[in-house]
Amino acid sequence: MTDTGASRRAEVREATGCTIGARDVSFDAYHGETFVIMGLSGSGKSTLLRCVARLSPLSRGSVILEGEDLTAMNEAELRAVRRAKLSMVFQHFGLFWHRRVIDNVAYGLEVQGIDRKTRHSKADEMLNLVGLEGCAGSYPHQLSGGMQQRVGLARALVVEPTVLFFDEPFSALDPLIRRDMQDELLRIRAGINGTVIFVTHDFDEAIKLGDRIAVMKDGEFDQVGTAAELIMNPATEYVEEFVKGVPRVKVLRVGDVVTELDGSTPQHGVPASESLETVLPLLVANTEDIAVLDEQNTAIGRIDRSAVTRLIRPQP
């Protein structure tokens, strides 16, 4: 659509009658990373996810997975990749209502031709992993919404995918269940390999789950970065509006407010990965400098108190 010369989505719609899904979007998602794509409804985030997952066609561009171009594959090759390396957790669960829970979870292994005993054994492991012990023989309609989404998560994990896609998987859940599922995903995420690409419209959810966040608007990325980078240095007014109400001391880490050591190493030290909120009492109780420590417990600087003061000052 950029061939029309139009620079905005509304201009393209007026000139062509078509709506841009996603354009000029390029990004790398790294092994072991949770990459979050977030934006308001209609921003193009789910369209982009479906293009990357090869569920929707691309008008141009490519999707590279472990050095292979998925857009250059024929249907048989792409089907093989989907079965072995890609998994999707949908917003509305997408379960087979006529199948028991264990057969829903084992479905990905079934289409791979894995024998029944082996796939059921693996499915049982996944059900235990997501906290659904004893539910193997139930049908989806016998489970709550949160439990159904856990079945969907177990089904996605059972094939040990290289990339796991989440399309607003928790948005249909009640707030308490949603938080439980976020915590559950964080717990499971620590023990699995591969990359997670997660779509959400909730910035709090993006901050909680994402290693990096891409803020999307009108089919394009406004900014990509860590939560700290988005909060400390928003690139556009749109991003700034998103982060305005975020309690920054809850999001930022000690490493985000580090400055050079001034003289000898301070007596007190805290890890760079520590939440800024948790060290505020220590800053109040001690007027002396506090060292910032790396993973080897070596001082890499000191906490910049003036930066902390600016962060906790009420935002206009």
Side-chain angles (χ1 to χ4, degrees):
M1 288 304 178
T2 52
D3 293 343
T4 64
S7 60
R8 300 178 60 187
R9 177 183 277 188
E11 294 172 349
V12 172
R13 188 186 302 116
E14 183 177 350
T16 66
C18 299
T19 299
I20 296 171
R23 69 171 181 181
D24 297 332
V25 175
S26 180
F27 69 97
D28 295 316
Y30 307 115
H31 179 76
E33 176 183 40
T34 298
F35 186 89
V36 174
I37 303 170
M38 71 146 303
L40 300 178
S41 296
S43 61
K45 55 190 184 298
S46 291
T47 298
L48 176 61
L49 184 77
R50 293 181 65 84
C51 287
V52 174
R54 297 301 291 116
L55 297 176
S56 295
L58 281 70
S59 57
R60 66 189 68 184
S62 57
V63 178
I64 307 299
L65 175 63
E66 297 181 325
E68 294 185 287
D69 186 355
L70 302 188
T71 59
M73 293 181 175
N74 60 38
E75 282 298 320
E77 292 170 332
L78 186 56
R79 193 178 303 116
V81 169
R82 284 174 177 153
R83 288 175 175 175
K85 296 185 177 183
L86 307 179
S87 283
M88 175 81 81
V89 179
F90 298 95
Q91 178 177 351
H92 297 294
F93 315 146
L95 303 179
F96 297 116
W97 298 102
H98 63 288
R99 286 183 167 223
R100 295 179 303 156
V101 164
I102 194 166
D103 293 312
N104 267 280
V105 174
Y107 181 73
L109 300 177
E110 181 181 346
V111 297
Q112 290 181 15
I114 306 298
D115 66 272
R116 187 175 186 274
K117 182 178 179 180
T118 302
R119 67 178 185 257
H120 276 198
S121 175
K122 185 67 174 177
D124 267 328
E125 290 179 23
M126 291 300 104
L127 287 172
N128 291 337
L129 182 65
V130 300
L132 289 179
E133 302 91 339
C135 294
S138 301
Y139 286 88
H141 73 271
Q142 296 173 311
L143 306 180
S144 68
M147 295 171 75
Q148 290 175 26
Q149 192 58 286
R150 288 172 188 261
V151 176
L153 179 57
R155 180 180 60 185
L157 292 171
V158 76
V159 296
E160 299 180 356
T162 303
V163 184
L164 185 57
F165 299 99
F166 288 84
D167 189 8
E168 300 200 57
F170 309 144
S171 61
L173 303 177
D174 293 334
L176 289 178
I177 299 175
R178 181 173 188 163
R179 285 197 294 271
D180 287 344
M181 287 301 301
Q182 291 169 354
D183 293 338
E184 186 74 10
L185 178 58
L186 287 172
R187 181 187 67 80
I188 293 170
R189 185 73 185 89
I192 62 174
N193 292 317
T195 301
V196 170
I197 300 181
F198 193 102
V199 162
T200 181
H201 65 269
D202 186 332
F203 194 60
D204 289 336
E205 184 169 69
I207 290 172
K208 183 174 183 178
L209 300 178
D211 295 305
R212 286 187 300 146
I213 303 167
V215 180
M216 198 167 189
K217 178 187 179 186
D218 292 342
E220 301 178 88
F221 283 172
D222 258 31
Q223 187 173 356
V224 179
T226 64
E229 289 168 346
L230 298 181
I231 290 170
M232 298 287 283
N233 299 294
T236 66
E237 291 183 4
Y238 185 71
V239 177
E240 188 174 6
E241 193 64 28
F242 261 114
V243 305
K244 182 179 292 184
V246 176
R248 292 179 286 183
V249 294
K250 292 181 179 291
V251 177
L252 299 179
R253 304 291 170 181
V254 170
D256 297 318
V257 291
V258 63
T259 189
E260 294 181 0
L261 286 171
D262 185 12
S264 59
T265 302
Q267 180 180 359
H268 297 287
V270 293
S273 59
E274 192 75 30
S275 166
L276 193 55
E277 183 181 38
T278 64
V279 302
L280 287 180
L282 183 61
L283 287 170
V284 172
N286 294 274
T287 57
E288 301 174 355
D289 283 341
I290 298 174
V292 179
L293 310 176
D294 63 13
E295 293 179 354
Q296 286 72 44
N297 218 34
T298 301
I300 59 174
R302 61 184 174 85
I303 294 179
D304 186 340
R305 288 178 177 271
S306 61
V308 175
T309 301
R310 290 194 300 271
L311 287 171
I312 63 178
R313 185 177 297 136
Q315 297 170 275

